[in-house]
Amino acid sequence: MAENTTDIYSRVKALIDEGETSEIEFKSANGGFPGSFWESYSAFANTNGGAIVLGVAEKNGRLFFDGLTEETAIRYKKNFWDCAHNRGKINACLPRESDVKMAQIDNSYILICYIPRASYEIRPVYIGSNPFGNTYRRNHEGDYRCTDAEVRRMFADAEHDRHPQDGRILVGFDFDRDIDIESLHQYRQTLASLQPTHPWVGISDMDFLKKLGAYATEYETGKEGFTLAGILMFGKYDSITNNSGDPMYFVDYRETLATDNPDIRWTHRIYPDGLWEANLYQFYIRVYNRLIQSLPRPFMMKDGIRQEETPAHDAVREALINCIIHNDVNAMGHIVVERTDQHLIFRNPGMMLVS
């Protein structure tokens, strides 16, 4: 039976009043349970979740009820659950019993299906048995078919915890040839100044890199070497962009300040121009120092010590660090930081692992 409670009615009215959005899809069911339902199911699951409302047609920005009977709505509800639990139809059943509701609006019945966002361990959610060509994502008011590259990236994200992309051991990389000693020692000096009694302070450079995960050993295979993360962090630029490393690697800081001239693309830029070893650590140091130049440093004492940094410094540092460490090394695109008189923009390739 339909739940004709005030809560259900108000939720339905809210959905209808909002119209189709990136998280709401209306589908006519006059001709039977619509096959396109599962495209929207996949799209919502692979994006941010959403609600599919069966029994309502959207035409020219207006919504029309199909006039479904209670018997038809009950049949569609059973059809939904039969298909949702059929791995040959959809590879993951995400909704709970409470996520699928029948409701009566005036003389018409509708079926509301709330599709949760799938966790990255479950994605991709796809139709049938082949994810390629049958995986969808939500874009504004429509569902679009994912490219093969997007599907592969979802599979890579699903392995994120067990096999991090940047934890891959690289073959043929050498400490003396491929590690920028200045970057490594600068990092170690920073650690020593902040935590002078830390047990890692007095160990060798190689042991230090092993502790950080920059050099690793696979116990199952005996394979050992520098990880992609280690080379990205402390490597020389030519070594990073070697075909055995990350040949598409590029970092870019663009600053456009105090100019209205449209012909000036930037007033300052930090990028791999051959004048510095453009690894991630050096990029972070250079960009952070540029970003904080405009931040105020009010005089403030704490426990008798002057505090040089403010919450604004913490926010900028956190944004920059997250931009760097959450970069998807297998995705197309680069780390880009932009600063203008009005805003700071931090961009990196890949998809969010959380909503």
Side-chain angles (χ1 to χ4, degrees), residues 11 157 310 331 353:
R11 278 196 291 171
D157 288 342
T310 67
L353 297 183

Side-chain angles (χ1 to χ4, degrees), residues 194-215:
L194 294 173
Q195 301 185 52
T197 60
H198 196 286
W200 294 1
V201 169
I203 62 179
S204 69
D205 285 341
M206 275 301 298
D207 286 339
F208 183 78
L209 291 171
K210 291 177 182 178
K211 293 291 186 182
L212 290 182
Y215 190 97

Side-chain angles (χ1 to χ4, degrees), residues 339-352:
R339 176 188 171 195
T340 71
D341 296 314
Q342 291 80 32
H343 56 240
L344 300 175
I345 299 177
F346 301 85
R347 291 204 309 268
N348 61 16
M351 296 183 293
M352 294 286 285

Side-chain angles (χ1 to χ4, degrees), residues 321-332:
I321 289 174
N322 275 281
C323 179
I324 292 173
I325 68 175
H326 293 303
N327 168 53
D328 186 341
V329 295
N330 288 334
M332 294 295 292

Side-chain angles (χ1 to χ4, degrees), residues 37-38 41-42 45-46 80-81 83-96 115-119 121-129:
F37 177 96
W38 299 106
Y41 181 109
S42 169
N46 291 321
F80 166 79
W81 284 118
C83 291
H85 288 99
N86 179 1
R87 294 294 296 271
K89 184 64 179 181
I90 195 80
N91 72 308
C93 181
L94 300 173
R96 299 165 298 179
I115 312 302
R117 172 188 167 98
S119 63
E121 298 97 332
I122 297 175
R123 293 196 300 264
V125 174
Y126 53 91
I127 303 169
S129 58

Side-chain angles (χ1 to χ4, degrees), residues 54-271:
L54 283 186
V56 183
E58 191 274 335
K59 295 180 182 178
N60 300 322
R62 299 181 60 192
L63 299 173
F64 302 89
F65 290 100
D66 287 342
L68 299 182
T69 64
E70 181 181 13
E71 180 184 7
T72 301
I74 292 173
R75 187 172 74 251
Y76 285 167
K77 186 176 182 180
K78 182 180 185 303
N79 189 333
F80 166 79
W81 284 118
D82 288 345
C83 291
H85 288 99
N86 179 1
R87 294 294 296 271
K89 184 64 179 181
I90 195 80
N91 72 308
C93 181
L94 300 173
R96 299 165 298 179
E97 192 73 28
S98 59
D99 291 327
V100 181
K101 301 285 188 182
M102 285 172 49
Q104 183 180 11
I105 303 294
D106 299 327
N107 296 320
S108 183
Y109 281 81
I110 61 174
L111 185 66
I112 311 167
C113 303
Y114 292 93
I115 312 302
R117 172 188 167 98
S119 63
Y120 66 85
E121 298 97 332
I122 297 175
R123 293 196 300 264
V125 174
Y126 53 91
I127 303 169
S129 58
N130 183 6
F132 296 102
N134 298 299
T135 299
Y136 294 82
R137 282 180 61 82
R138 191 73 174 171
N139 185 8
H140 189 48
E141 295 180 3
D143 309 321
Y144 75 88
R145 183 179 283 107
C146 293
T147 65
D148 289 355
E150 288 175 308
V151 174
R152 283 192 289 268
R153 202 157 68 232
M154 290 186 200
F155 278 118
D157 288 342
E159 290 287 299
H160 177 78
D161 284 342
R162 290 189 301 159
H163 302 99
Q165 299 169 19
D166 56 6
R168 174 168 58 91
I169 294 178
L170 306 178
V171 177
F173 282 76
D174 175 79
F175 180 89
D176 293 328
R177 181 190 62 204
D178 301 311
I179 296 296
D180 178 45
I181 299 300
E182 181 180 347
S183 295
L184 176 60
H185 287 176
Q186 186 178 356
Y187 185 90
R188 297 200 65 178
Q189 289 166 7
T190 301
L191 173 64
S193 65
L194 294 173
Q195 301 185 52
T197 60
H198 196 286
W200 294 1
V201 169
I203 62 179
S204 69
D205 285 341
M206 275 301 298
D207 286 339
F208 183 78
L209 291 171
K210 291 177 182 178
K211 293 291 186 182
L212 290 182
Y215 190 97
T217 301
E218 288 182 353
Y219 288 168
E220 293 180 353
T221 64
K223 181 181 178 181
E224 66 176 87
F226 286 101
T227 61
L228 178 57
I231 295 299
L232 290 172
M233 185 72 169
F234 300 120
K236 297 176 181 177
Y237 181 71
D238 288 344
S239 300
I240 293 173
T241 56
N242 185 277
N243 285 334
S244 297
D246 184 5
M248 301 302 295
Y249 171 85
F250 192 84
V251 287
D252 200 357
Y253 170 76
R254 305 164 184 172
E255 189 176 282
T256 308
L257 300 175
T259 179
D260 294 326
N261 187 343
D263 295 329
I264 298 178
R265 298 180 64 187
W266 46 72
T267 53
H268 185 78
R269 192 181 183 199
I270 299 173
Y271 69 103

